[in-house]
Amino acid sequence: MMSELKRLNLDHATDGLRRFILENPDLPIVILADESSVTDNGAWTYCSEISVKIEEILDCEYYDYGDMVITDRDRLEEIIEDNLYEDYHDKPESEYDAAIKAEAEKFEPYWKKVIAVYATN
């Protein structure tokens, strides 16, 4: 005889997401899953931890970071700084800082306000 099956409780309360959608009906919704949520066996991964917030994301590719979503301007500047280091490491710091700022400004039109659903397992 089979014992009672254990319930997985795969559903989540959606009050927070519902509230964000009602308060921001024109914002797109994005789902952001961390690296622990990705499997390579072709199966869907259940994410047990979910959070929702209004966020800005960079809606364009940047160098080799095409599979990474940048959600923070400071992080973008760190990436730009790393990418420009080879060209500016022997130049005055003020010139390096100006180049970083100029490069970051190119991305301003690509920042998009969204309802972000963060998921991890």
Side-chain angles (χ1 to χ4, degrees):
M1 177 162 214
M2 191 169 156
S3 63
E4 188 173 333
L5 297 174
K6 179 183 176 190
R7 182 173 298 278
L8 295 177
N9 295 318
L10 297 177
D11 56 339
H12 292 279
T14 58
D15 296 340
L17 178 57
R18 186 176 296 116
R19 180 175 51 82
F20 280 120
I21 292 170
L22 290 172
E23 292 173 1
N24 305 277
D26 296 332
L27 290 183
I29 298 171
V30 296
I31 309 298
L32 304 170
D34 71 1
E35 66 275 357
S36 71
S37 303
V38 179
T39 62
D40 60 358
N41 63 7
W44 288 91
T45 300
Y46 170 69
C47 295
S48 60
E49 296 179 33
I50 305 292
S51 64
V52 180
K53 63 182 176 177
I54 302 297
E55 185 83 278
E56 278 191 309
I57 62 169
L58 186 63
D59 190 17
C60 69
E61 290 185 347
Y62 184 67
Y63 292 108
D64 58 345
Y65 295 89
D67 60 347
M68 180 177 95
V69 177
I70 298 172
T71 60
D72 181 272
R73 283 178 168 79
D74 291 336
R75 178 67 181 124
L76 175 61
E77 284 195 15
E78 290 172 2
I79 293 168
I80 291 169
E81 182 177 350
D82 290 346
N83 287 330
L84 294 179
Y85 178 78
E86 196 61 37
D87 295 333
Y88 287 89
H89 72 278
D90 58 349
K91 295 183 180 175
E93 188 173 337
S94 60
E95 189 176 331
Y96 188 21
D97 291 342
I100 294 167
K101 183 175 179 164
E103 185 71 10
E105 286 176 4
K106 292 178 186 176
F107 292 94
E108 277 306 310
Y110 300 98
W111 286 102
K112 181 184 283 186
K113 190 174 179 181
V114 299
I115 298 171
V117 179
Y118 287 88
T120 187
N121 58 3

